[in-house]
Amino acid sequence: MAKRDYYEVLGVSRTGSAEDVKKAYRQMALKHHPDRNPGSKEAEEKFKEAAEAYSVLADPEKRSVYDRFGHEGLRGEGFQGFSGFDASVFEDFEDILGNFFGFSFGSFFGERGRRRGAGRQSGGDLALEIEISLEEAAAGVEKDIKLTRAETCPACRGSKRKPGTEASSCPSCGGHGQVRYQQGFFTVARTCLRCQGRGEVVESPCATCQGKGRVREKRSLKVRIPAGVSDGLRLRLVGEGEAGDEGMPAGDLYVTMRVRRHAFFERDGNNLACEISISFTQAALGARVEIPTLEGSEILKIPPGAQGGEVIRVKGKGIQDVGGRRKGELFVKVLVKTPEGLSKEQKALLVKLAELRGEDIESVDKTVIHRMKNIFQ
C-alpha cells in the first residue's frame, strides 16, 4: 500500500512552519493515542502514521529531501519508516503527552534500568527572615540564627536500614524500579509503587528514624550579612536546607532581610536623607553644624543665606552597594526655625534689621499676590 503524503497526514500545508508541524502532530497524537482508543487498530495505525510524518517534517534535512524527492528520496537517505525513526522526536511533547497519560516516552523505546536517584528526593529548601538595623545593613553583620530541619539520620546514615542489615531487591519490579506491561503496541513502564522507584525494599528499618533516613534536629547557624543589603533582599545559603533522601543533595536556606525603619535617616537605594533644624541667624549668616551619619559625626557647612527646605549633599556618606563598588550620598534638608518668645530687646533688634533692609513690617505685604499674577499672565 502506497504511503500517504506526510503533509496530508498531519493536515498542514507544504509551506507550514515548524511550529505548525509541531502543533498538528500534537493534536493528531492526542486524538489517536491508544489510551483514548483502546483496542482500535485504526487509531493505532494513524498514531504510527502521524509519528512517522512528524519524524520527517520536524527534521529540516529530512524535510528538505522529502520536499524534493518524496518517499523515494528518504529511502535513498537510509530512512526506514516508523520502525527505524529516532524516539527523540517525542522529546518536545513529553510534558504534554507523557504527563497526560502518566508515563514516559523514553520507556517505549528501550530505556532500560533504573535512573540514578529514581524514587529519591533532594532536600527541601527552607526560608526565614532576619530583622536588622539600618546601621547593621550599612556595615554588614554576622547573626546567629536557630532553625529546625531534617538532617541525615546519624544511626543509619540515611540508608533507612537497621545498622548491620542490607536492603533487599524489590520483589515487585525485580530491582529495576519500574514495572513494565503491554499497552497497545507500546511497552509501558511505570514507577514501581512498592519501592517508589528505588529498586530495593527495607526489611529491617532503622529504629532511630523509623525507616525515614532523616530526623528533625535543632541547629544554630552563623549568617554573614554583607554590607549594603536592603529590605527584602534574599540571601541563599547553599546546602543549609533539609537533608536529601539517601545521598541526594541537601536543599538551600533562603534568608530574607528585614531592615528596621530608622528614627533619623530615610533610605532611598544607596542614598540617605535626613532633616536638621537651624536657627534664623545660622541660616542668614552661615554656620558649621555637627550632624550624625552612620559612620559617626560629620561637620556640615551651612552657606550664608540658606533657605528653609534647601538640600545640602554630603558626598560618600550614604550606603555602599552589596558589591562594594560605589557608595551613596547623604542629602540633608535644612529647616529654618523661627525664634519664639523674643524679649523686647530682641524684638527691637529685629525691627532695626527690617528698617535697615528697607522692609516695612507694618504695611500689607503683596509680594505673594504679585508672584501669582505673574505666573498666570
Side-chain angles (χ1 to χ4, degrees):
M1 181 178 176
K3 288 181 179 290
R4 284 205 299 156
D5 179 77
Y6 288 146
Y7 291 99
E8 179 185 342
V9 170
L10 296 182
V12 296
S13 68
R14 303 188 77 83
T15 58
S17 66
E19 189 60 35
D20 293 334
V21 171
K22 185 182 295 186
K23 183 178 179 180
Y25 168 69
R26 180 174 55 191
Q27 293 172 345
M28 292 287 291
L30 288 172
K31 180 179 179 181
H32 298 295
H33 195 280
D35 272 5
R36 285 190 168 180
N37 305 273
S40 172
K41 286 292 183 183
E42 181 183 0
E44 183 177 315
E45 290 303 320
K46 286 186 177 180
F47 187 82
K48 287 182 180 181
E49 190 178 41
E52 180 177 330
Y54 178 71
S55 69
V56 172
L57 300 185
D59 186 313
E61 292 184 13
K62 289 180 182 178
R63 183 174 179 177
S64 177
V65 172
Y66 179 72
D67 287 344
R68 286 181 290 165
F69 305 110
H71 295 294
E72 292 298 323
L74 294 173
R75 290 194 184 94
E77 292 292 317
F79 182 72
Q80 300 298 321
F82 182 79
S83 62
F85 86 104
D86 186 352
S88 64
V89 299
F90 287 110
E91 289 178 355
D92 290 337
F93 297 94
E94 183 150 349
D95 61 330
I96 298 170
L97 297 178
N99 290 342
F100 183 87
F101 293 106
F103 48 76
S104 170
F105 277 105
S107 64
F108 293 168
F109 300 99
E111 183 182 277
R112 299 294 179 186
R114 188 158 42 93
R115 289 173 289 119
R116 185 182 179 190
R120 297 167 171 82
Q121 295 182 340
S122 298
D125 294 333
L126 296 176
L128 55 82
E129 293 184 352
I130 293 181
E131 186 178 75
I132 59 176
S133 67
L134 183 61
E135 287 84 355
E136 290 173 329
V141 67
E142 190 172 76
K143 289 284 188 178
D144 290 318
I145 61 173
K146 298 183 184 300
L147 71 160
T148 300
R149 65 186 181 189
E151 298 200 346
T152 301
C153 175
C156 67
R157 297 183 180 180
S159 70
K160 305 181 181 181
R161 305 186 302 269
K162 180 180 179 181
T165 65
E166 297 294 332
S168 304
S169 178
C170 176
S172 297
C173 62
H176 294 294
Q178 295 178 327
V179 178
R180 297 175 181 272
Y181 61 93
Q182 196 72 24
Q183 180 169 332
F185 64 95
F186 289 130
T187 297
V188 180
R190 293 184 184 274
T191 300
C192 177
L193 296 178
R194 180 167 183 179
C195 68
Q196 297 297 312
R198 291 175 171 82
E200 58 186 29
V201 292
V202 177
E203 301 292 349
S204 301
C206 172
T208 301
C209 62
Q210 286 76 51
K212 296 178 180 179
R214 292 175 289 184
V215 292
R216 305 292 296 178
E217 295 285 356
K218 292 182 178 180
R219 285 288 179 262
S220 296
L221 295 176
K222 287 188 179 296
V223 179
R224 178 62 193 171
I225 300 172
V229 297
S230 56
D231 186 71
L233 182 73
R234 192 168 70 159
L235 301 179
R236 178 189 179 196
L237 304 182
V238 178
E240 293 294 352
E242 306 267 24
D245 187 25
E246 295 185 76
M248 296 297 285
D252 300 329
L253 173 61
Y254 291 90
V255 181
T256 301
M257 300 296 107
R258 293 301 175 204
V259 182
R260 289 192 297 272
R261 188 178 182 86
H262 200 273
F264 184 69
F265 295 107
E266 289 285 343
R267 182 176 181 178
D268 181 12
N270 291 331
N271 296 324
L272 294 174
C274 66
E275 295 179 349
I276 63 167
S277 295
I278 60 175
S279 68
F280 169 77
T281 52
Q282 287 176 318
L285 302 176
R288 289 162 57 86
V289 179
E290 187 175 17
I291 62 170
T293 73
L294 292 181
E295 302 168 358
S297 62
E298 182 81 9
I299 300 299
L300 179 68
K301 185 176 181 180
I302 307 294
Q307 301 299 308
E310 184 174 333
V311 176
I312 301 174
R313 184 178 71 167
V314 183
K315 296 186 65 176
K317 292 302 177 180
I319 297 176
Q320 72 176 37
D321 59 24
V322 176
R325 293 180 295 274
R326 61 176 299 275
K327 200 168 185 179
E329 319 287 12
L330 171 61
F331 294 91
V332 182
K333 185 177 182 179
V334 175
L335 303 178
V336 179
K337 187 177 181 180
T338 303
E340 298 176 301
L342 297 174
S343 65
K344 289 183 178 180
E345 183 180 3
Q346 290 171 333
K347 288 180 180 179
L349 289 173
L350 286 177
V351 170
K352 183 64 176 178
L353 174 63
E355 292 174 353
L356 291 173
R357 291 180 57 82
E359 299 174 4
D360 185 357
I361 60 174
E362 299 295 334
S363 65
V364 177
D365 188 349
K366 297 184 178 181
T367 55
V368 175
I369 295 295
H370 291 319
R371 292 195 199 104
M372 294 297 292
K373 286 182 178 180
N374 292 333
I375 292 173
F376 292 105
Q377 283 179 352

